Amino acid sequence: MVVDGPRGPAETVVYPGITLTRPRHGHVVDELWLPVGEAAPTVADDEALIAAMRDAWRWSASAA
């Protein structure tokens, strides 16, 4: 991921994955770890994230 530096050029941030967390009443009830590609997220990584986020949004809407 490329982010703007606070007072300088853009910086590249590399991370091994993303954790989606589902809280309920201030407590974590579920976590899902989504790994990403070694150098950069792939199209498959993006699709997995989109699917997981869609499920999380559905869950949060039904839990509200």
Side-chain angles (χ1 to χ4, degrees):
M1 167 171 48
V2 177
V3 295
D4 291 333
R7 290 184 180 74
E11 300 176 32
T12 300
V13 178
V14 179
Y15 53 93
I18 298 169
T19 300
L20 296 179
T21 304
R22 293 180 180 177
R24 180 175 283 158
H25 305 293
H27 300 285
V28 174
V29 295
D30 188 32
E31 285 187 335
L32 175 63
W33 172 252
L34 294 170
V36 298
E38 290 234 359
T42 64
V43 171
D45 294 331
D46 290 346
E47 293 299 324
L49 177 59
I50 291 167
M53 289 178 72
R54 183 176 52 242
D55 289 344
W57 288 325
R58 282 188 194 147
W59 180 84
S60 65
S62 66

